[in-house]
């Protein structure tokens, strides 16, 4: 046997082994499913009505609050309820010991000893913090995003957590909304890919492993479309937007096997999402066959009274369960109302049983019945939390998440020797803001600052000045610092330092809690005196690299028009300063691309690349010849930086876009190809993006939609051919008939470096 044949033989054997092994696992998995079903039924046959209702009740922990502080429910009462079997889940209890303590009451003191499922907002890392989700999404690197989720799961699971309230898969088009930091941005295709990667990362291949947690797709649905970007506000969108834009990432999460869903605070077209039967029972549990359970958002059952939709708690309980909300987070309504609602015939026993079955199934799948304390090992907690593996993981993700917005005159990368650098800005030495929002378990001030990151490179002299000071803020919600808005006394020293410097690095943006839940804003410029500081420094030294830290797109017109370099770093997490320094010094070549359009003005919002043409589009959106077209009198229609935009320290050229055929029929596929060349001097990564335009359809269609992307690494001087397969699935949408299908007609494919690319080829679907 030649070496080649031997290799083939071995490969064949390996494949055979793999085939039998995977079918064995699949069989075993089915058996597990069957046995879980049986075990759930057995257990339910022993449960009283109170115990069943108890499983549908979730309490917040005794201290750490991620919503309005509840009026009821002191610690003592909660322990009593745990012992009575009236609580199925707790959130915001964390740490192996704390979790063990509550679990012990549930398991050892309640009649049936049903373990609790412990929920937590593991949004971007537990204690070792990864970049905010919007930043991670800017990497367009699905493997890295999945890995970040699985590392977060491992760290949180070591601290007693077995269920995360993530990923947030809400599509968002409005940067005023503070929670854009928590999602994957404006695009349903990218959002779906990322939703799937995150679910798989959190849940892994085996939910019962001690390193994985159950995931939760939230907020179902349309929470990201809050009117005027004001959090919790009304949502009014039609079926076309709901099905084509909002729902796809939720569907992708379902297909990835997500175990739970959370509904949302908003009302959607007149119905609070918590009571939306069509969404929860018809679409999610019906059409999509979702078998997991739905938890309400914090107090969202009770909030239906404020919405003016429920008359009182009693009514809210009935609305929630009838609509398929299985677990009540912090409203105390199911616990108090379900029994009487059942008696009155307002809800049915079948509905209660269905909810309980769903909840218990996830608990069995997590392996909680085998060992309720499997997440409560203090030694494991100590060795996993903050470990080298965690820090290396978040550093890797941080490098990949940055977006180079501008780099003229080759000011970046910075020279490593003999430079005088003035490092200016309130966020330059801040160790708290880079952690961003939603990092409950992180220690305050635990991030590596930009100052520390730059200081690790010894060759240059660095002078640091805040310019605009940070001030102490409300310590609740970890809000240690804010950017001061009253005092400019730091300007003088900053200007002095800038005058003497070869290069000025200015670190400006939003403090860590300026975006996130309840953090909507009407102004999107640099907050406080930062813009004024930037312009004052520019007057004495225009050689400025602007390093931005923020949780949402900002309006950056002045910076774009005047500064030679802008680097978007978002809130990058624990290893922030190290990652930023590597990029500034060229040890890492940035490759991130924007997951949201950056507006020129707040007045353009909502702003997104996949808009509809309108009947008066103007010539290429810039027609100056007439007033009667869809535009503003005082601003362009286009964004400052489009969706998918981002530069590199090298340059890429696209050429030779071609199709394998100009016609596609419903049963086959065609290939779209393009050649991408690295025309610069260093190796670089490029996200090659493919967009498709459907020219004419039974409902109006977006001007283009992302339908594929490929992250490539290319050596300088090299060229790579990239191919995308296009089949009818890529052309499907929610049609006039209210089903997903592709309609024959003319299409255009665009392939390029961002959503504004003009390079195209055309084909027809027959
Ligand atoms: C309210 C938020 O909307 C939700 O995303 C979060 O998971 C819960 N609070 C629990 O903290």
């Amino acid at each position: 046997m030649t070496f080649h044949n031997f290799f083939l033989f071995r490969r064949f054997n390996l494949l055979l082994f793999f085939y039998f092994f995977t079918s064995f696992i699949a069989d075993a998995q089915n058996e597990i499913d069957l046995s879980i079903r049986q075990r759930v039924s057995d257990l339910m046959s022993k449960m009283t009505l109170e115990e069943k209702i108890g499983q549908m009740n979730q309490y917040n922990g005794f201290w750490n609050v991620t919503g309005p502080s509840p009026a009821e429910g002191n610690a003592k009462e909660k322990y009593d309820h745990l012992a009575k079997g009236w609580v199925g889940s707790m959130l915001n209890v964390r740490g192996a010991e704390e979790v063990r303590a509550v679990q012990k009451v549930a398991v050892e003191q309640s009649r049936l000893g049903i373990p609790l499922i412990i929920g937590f907002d593991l949004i971007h890392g537990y204690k070792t913090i990864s970049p905010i989700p919007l930043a991670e999404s800017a990497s367009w690197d699905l493997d890295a995003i999945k890995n970040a989720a699985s590392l977060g799961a491992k760290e949180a699971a070591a601290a007693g957590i077995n269920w995360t309230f993530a990923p947030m898969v809400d599509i968002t088009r409005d940067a005023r909304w503070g929670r854009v930091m928590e999602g994957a941005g404006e695009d349903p295709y990218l959002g779906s890919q990322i939703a799937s990667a995150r679910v798989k990362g959190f849940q892994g291949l085996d939910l019962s492993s001690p390193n994985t947690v159950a995931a939760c797709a939230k907020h179902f649905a349309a929470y990201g479309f809050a009117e005027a970007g004001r959090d919790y506000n009304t949502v009014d969108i039609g079926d076309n937007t709901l099905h084509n834009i909002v729902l796809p990432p939720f569907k992708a999460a379902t297909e990835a096997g997500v175990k739970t869903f959370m509904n949302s605070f908003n009302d959607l077209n007149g119905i609070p999402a918590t009571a939306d039967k069509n969404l929860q029972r018809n679409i999610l549990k019906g059409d999509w066959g979702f078998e997991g359970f739905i938890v309400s958002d914090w107090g969202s059952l009770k909030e239906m009274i404020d919405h003016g939709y429920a008359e009182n708690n009693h009514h809210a309980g009935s609305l929630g369960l009838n609509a398929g909300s299985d677990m009540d987070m912090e409203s105390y309504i199911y616990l108090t109302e379900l029994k009487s609602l059942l008696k009155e015939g307002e809800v049915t026993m079948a509905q209660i049983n269905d909810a309980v079955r769903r909840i218990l199934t996830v608990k069995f799948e997590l392996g909680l019945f085998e060992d309720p304390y499997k997440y409560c090992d203090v030694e494991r907690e100590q060795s996993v939390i903050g470990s080298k593996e965690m820090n290396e993981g978040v550093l890797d993700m941080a490098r990949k998440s940055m977006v180079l917005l501008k780099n003229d005159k080759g000011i970046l990368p910075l020279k490593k020797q003999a430079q005088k650098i003035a490092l200016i800005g309130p966020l330059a030495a801040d160790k708290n803001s880079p952690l961003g929002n939603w990092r409950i378990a992180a220690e305050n001030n635990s991030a590596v600052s930009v100052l520390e990151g730059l200081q690790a490179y010894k060759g240059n002299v660095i002078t640091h000045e805040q310019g605009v000071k940070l001030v102490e803020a409300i310590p609740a919600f970890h809000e240690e610092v804010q950017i001061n808005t009253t005092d400019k006394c730091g300007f003088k020293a900053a200007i002095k330092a800038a005058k003497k410097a070869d290069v000025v690095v200015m670190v400006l943006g939003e403090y860590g809690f300026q975006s996130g839940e309840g953090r909507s804003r009407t102004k999107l410029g640099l907050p406080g005196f930062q813009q004024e500081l930037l312009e004052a420094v520019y007057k004495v030294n225009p050689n400025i690299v602007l390093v931005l830290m923020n949780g949402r797109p900002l309006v950056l017109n002045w910076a774009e028009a005047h500064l030679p370099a802008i680097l978007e770093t978002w809130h990058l997490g624990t290893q922030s300063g190290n990652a930023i320094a590597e990029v500034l010094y060229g040890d890492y070549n940035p490759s991130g691309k924007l997951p949201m359009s950056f507006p020129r003005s707040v007045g353009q919002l909502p702003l997104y690349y996949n808009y509809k043409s309108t009947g008066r589009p103007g010539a290429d959106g810039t027609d100056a010849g007439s007033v009667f077209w869809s535009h503003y009198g005082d601003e362009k229609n286009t964004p400052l930086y489009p969706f998918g935009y981002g530069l590199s320290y090298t340059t890429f050229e696209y050429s030779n876009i071609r199709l394998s055929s100009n016609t596609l029929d419903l049963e086959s596929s065609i290939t779209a190809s393009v050649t991408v060349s690295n025309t610069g001097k260093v190796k670089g990564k490029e996200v090659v993006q493919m967009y498709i335009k459907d020219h004419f359809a039974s409902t109006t269609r977006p001007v283009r939609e992302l339908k594929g992307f490929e992250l490539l690494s290319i050596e300088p001087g090299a060229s790579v051919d990239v191919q995308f397969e296009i089949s009818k699935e890529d052309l499907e949408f929610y049609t006039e008939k209210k089903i997903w299908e592709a309609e024959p007609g003319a299409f255009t494919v665009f392939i390029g470096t961002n959503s504004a690319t003009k390079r195209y080829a055309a084909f027809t679907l027959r």
Side-chain angles (χ1 to χ4, degrees):
M1 195 185 292
T2 60
F3 178 76
H4 181 70
N5 283 345
F6 170 76
F7 179 73
L8 280 181
F9 176 75
R10 278 203 50 185
R11 203 163 69 165
F12 177 70
N13 274 346
L14 272 176
L15 282 175
L16 219 61
F17 169 76
F18 186 69
Y19 171 77
F20 284 121
F21 183 70
T22 46
S23 20
F24 169 75
I25 297 254
D27 284 351
Q29 196 67 46
N30 287 340
E31 267 171 38
I32 291 171
D33 287 345
L34 276 181
S35 84
I36 285 181
R37 242 169 250 153
Q38 191 55 53
R39 290 170 76 186
V40 169
S41 297
D42 291 350
L43 179 57
M44 283 179 62
S45 67
K46 298 185 191 113
M47 291 169 80
T48 62
L49 177 61
E50 283 81 5
E51 284 163 341
K52 286 181 178 172
I53 293 172
Q55 287 304 304
M56 299 165 71
N57 178 36
Q58 183 186 50
Y59 276 163
N60 180 51
F62 311 110
W63 34 89
N64 203 336
V65 200
T66 52
S69 299
E72 301 117 274
N74 60 34
K76 188 173 170 301
E77 193 171 86
K78 282 181 183 169
Y79 272 118
D80 284 354
H81 290 192
L82 286 171
K84 285 180 178 145
W86 288 358
V87 186
S89 172
M90 292 197 76
L91 76 151
N92 289 331
V93 184
R94 60 183 161 89
E97 270 180 25
E98 270 174 32
V99 172
R100 182 180 284 273
V102 289
Q103 195 69 287
K104 211 165 168 341
V105 183
V107 171
E108 292 176 21
Q109 294 182 34
S110 73
R111 192 178 72 91
L112 291 170
I114 301 175
L116 299 164
I117 177 168
I118 304 289
F120 184 80
D121 289 287
L122 170 70
I123 308 295
H124 53 116
Y126 178 70
K127 197 157 192 174
T128 315
I129 300 299
S130 197
I132 55 169
L134 187 67
E136 288 188 354
S137 305
S139 72
W140 295 52
D141 185 333
L142 300 174
D143 291 335
I145 293 171
K146 182 174 161 206
N147 188 48
S150 83
L151 283 178
K154 185 172 177 183
E155 204 183 42
I161 312 301
N162 42 47
W163 175 25
T164 174
F165 304 129
M168 183 187 101
V169 305
D170 296 312
I171 296 298
T172 80
R173 293 169 160 181
D174 196 328
R176 289 172 295 184
W177 191 49
R179 295 193 84 166
V180 303
M181 54 88 41
E182 221 180 308
E186 74 189 38
D187 183 63
Y189 179 84
L190 179 63
S192 298
Q193 304 281 322
I194 291 176
S196 174
R198 289 199 165 123
V199 168
K200 290 178 183 160
F202 287 131
Q203 296 191 166
L205 292 174
D206 176 8
L207 200 60
S208 71
S209 147
N211 291 329
T212 55
V213 298
C216 178
K218 72 186 188 185
H219 305 84
F220 200 56
Y223 182 43
F225 277 70
E227 265 183 11
R230 205 182 72 222
D231 206 2
Y232 316 123
N233 204 5
T234 296
V235 177
D236 210 321
I237 57 171
D239 259 9
N240 194 275
T241 302
L242 179 68
H243 286 269
N244 288 311
I245 307 292
V246 171
L247 294 183
F250 287 103
K251 179 131 190 276
T254 311
E255 283 163 1
V258 73
K259 292 294 165 191
T260 73
F261 260 60
M262 184 185 291
N263 55 37
S264 52
F265 291 126
N266 56 285
D267 74 307
L268 173 61
N269 305 328
I271 300 175
T274 310
D276 198 323
K277 206 185 244 174
N278 185 41
L279 277 180
Q280 301 193 143
R281 287 217 186 267
N282 298 351
I283 296 177
L284 178 59
K285 293 179 177 175
D287 299 348
W288 300 352
F290 173 68
E291 291 186 349
F293 69 88
I294 305 174
V295 63
S296 80
D297 202 346
W298 181 291
S300 69
L301 278 158
K302 206 178 186 72
E303 287 181 13
M304 289 198 285
I305 301 169
D306 285 311
H307 275 289
Y309 193 72
E311 202 180 347
N312 47 35
N313 282 357
H314 197 62
H315 187 202
S318 157
L319 289 168
L321 186 57
N322 276 298
S325 300
D326 301 306
M327 186 182 276
D328 169 4
M329 179 193 292
E330 278 292 295
S331 278
Y332 314 101
I333 282 183
Y334 280 176
L335 192 68
T336 53
E337 307 301 324
L338 280 188
K339 205 171 167 187
S340 50
L341 283 168
L342 180 67
K343 219 184 229 164
E344 294 153 16
E346 294 295 326
V347 300
T348 66
M349 199 58 222
Q351 288 171 332
I352 293 177
N353 281 337
D354 177 57
V356 176
R357 180 168 292 115
R358 288 167 181 272
I359 294 164
L360 290 177
T361 301
V362 177
K363 291 187 178 185
F364 272 107
E365 287 174 334
L366 281 164
L368 284 167
F369 285 89
E370 276 68 34
D371 179 5
Y373 305 114
K374 65 195 284 194
Y375 303 91
C376 306
D377 173 348
V378 174
E379 264 173 41
R380 178 160 77 100
E381 183 177 33
Q382 278 164 359
S383 72
V384 171
I385 290 186
S387 65
K388 191 161 169 262
E389 182 192 17
M390 295 300 148
N391 277 288
E392 282 174 357
V394 299
L395 176 60
D396 179 63
M397 193 70 250
R399 291 179 184 124
K400 292 172 173 160
S401 303
M402 278 174 268
V403 184
L404 184 63
L405 295 177
K406 188 172 180 192
N407 189 23
D408 276 2
K409 304 178 200 155
I411 186 171
L412 285 177
L414 300 175
K415 296 192 190 78
K416 286 183 179 163
Q417 301 292 332
Q419 294 282 292
K420 278 181 270 162
I421 297 179
L423 178 65
I424 296 174
L427 303 173
D430 185 8
K431 292 168 69 62
N432 214 35
S433 293
L435 299 172
N437 204 332
W438 283 119
R439 34 67 155 208
I440 302 159
E443 259 164 47
N444 278 331
N445 297 307
S446 59
V448 177
S449 70
V450 178
L451 175 63
E452 289 167 328
L454 288 180
Q455 276 168 343
Y457 285 78
K458 305 274 183 227
N460 291 329
V461 179
I462 297 171
T463 317
H464 165 241
E465 290 296 340
Q466 277 194 322
V468 174
K469 299 228 159 94
L470 284 172
V471 288
E472 275 187 30
I474 338 144
F477 296 99
H478 306 267
E479 212 150 357
E480 290 279 293
V481 290
Q482 284 180 356
I483 292 163
N484 113 28
T485 48
T486 52
D487 180 4
K488 294 199 278 184
C489 71
F491 271 41
K492 214 165 145 201
I495 292 166
K496 197 169 153 207
K499 267 188 193 158
K500 293 191 204 142
D502 298 312
V503 188
V504 183
V505 176
M506 295 197 67
V507 189
L508 308 177
E510 297 183 310
Y511 67 90
F513 286 94
Q514 209 151 9
S515 47
E517 188 181 344
R519 316 286 168 139
S520 298
R521 291 176 58 203
T522 60
K523 302 179 195 73
L524 295 179
L526 293 166
F529 292 123
Q530 293 183 96
Q531 181 64 33
E532 211 177 314
L533 174 72
L534 180 60
E535 291 183 30
V537 169
Y538 179 80
K539 276 199 190 124
V540 300
N541 190 343
N543 225 11
I544 296 176
V545 175
L546 174 60
V547 172
L548 290 166
M549 284 188 187
N550 43 296
R552 51 152 68 84
L554 296 177
V555 172
L556 300 166
N557 300 355
W558 188 91
E560 166 61 27
H562 294 86
L563 304 182
I566 308 174
L567 178 68
E568 176 56 80
T569 77
W570 317 101
H571 291 135
L572 271 194
T574 303
Q575 287 292 331
S576 203
N578 288 335
I580 293 170
E582 283 183 26
V583 166
L584 292 179
Y585 277 122
D587 286 343
Y588 190 85
N589 187 355
S591 58
K593 301 275 189 174
L594 296 178
M596 279 188 87
S597 308
F598 272 43
R600 296 174 192 273
S601 147
V602 173
Q604 292 180 306
L605 298 177
L607 182 70
Y608 45 99
Y609 82 92
N610 47 353
Y611 57 89
K612 304 278 186 78
S613 160
T614 80
R616 297 198 171 185
D620 205 13
T622 52
D623 188 351
S626 152
V627 73
F628 302 113
W629 63 288
S630 177
H631 72 299
Y632 302 102
D634 58 355
E635 189 51 276
K636 291 180 181 162
N637 284 0
T638 54
L640 182 65
Y641 302 118
F643 172 81
Y645 172 85
L647 304 174
S648 161
Y649 289 153
T650 191
T651 44
F652 297 102
E653 252 175 50
Y654 285 69
S655 60
N656 196 17
I657 180 167
R658 55 213 183 267
L659 294 173
S660 59
S661 166
N662 293 104
T663 49
L664 167 66
D665 46 58
L666 291 172
E667 277 72 47
S668 64
S669 64
I670 56 172
T671 308
S673 316
V674 77
T675 307
V676 186
S677 310
N678 181 340
T679 49
K681 295 198 175 57
V682 290
K683 186 176 168 178
K685 287 194 288 174
E686 167 74 340
V687 182
V688 181
Q689 301 159 42
M690 178 185 70
Y691 298 84
I692 297 184
K693 174 180 170 73
D694 182 349
H695 287 264
F696 170 80
S698 64
T699 70
T700 56
R701 306 285 293 122
V703 290
R704 60 178 63 186
E705 295 172 291
L706 182 70
K707 289 293 174 182
F709 62 88
E710 185 96 28
L711 176 61
L712 297 175
S713 179
I714 312 180
E715 295 291 337
S719 294
V720 176
D721 274 344
V722 187
Q723 301 189 326
F724 296 98
E725 198 174 290
I726 303 170
S727 62
K728 81 166 170 45
E729 282 75 37
D730 301 302
L731 312 178
E732 286 177 349
F733 67 103
Y734 191 72
T735 68
E736 190 193 22
K737 289 188 248 163
K738 303 212 174 290
I739 51 169
W740 277 78
E741 66 177 356
E743 293 178 350
F747 293 83
T748 301
V749 186
F750 300 86
I751 306 183
T753 185
N754 63 52
S755 63
T757 184
K758 295 202 162 51
R759 202 166 292 94
Y760 71 90
F763 71 93
T764 310
L765 174 71
R766 290 192 300 213

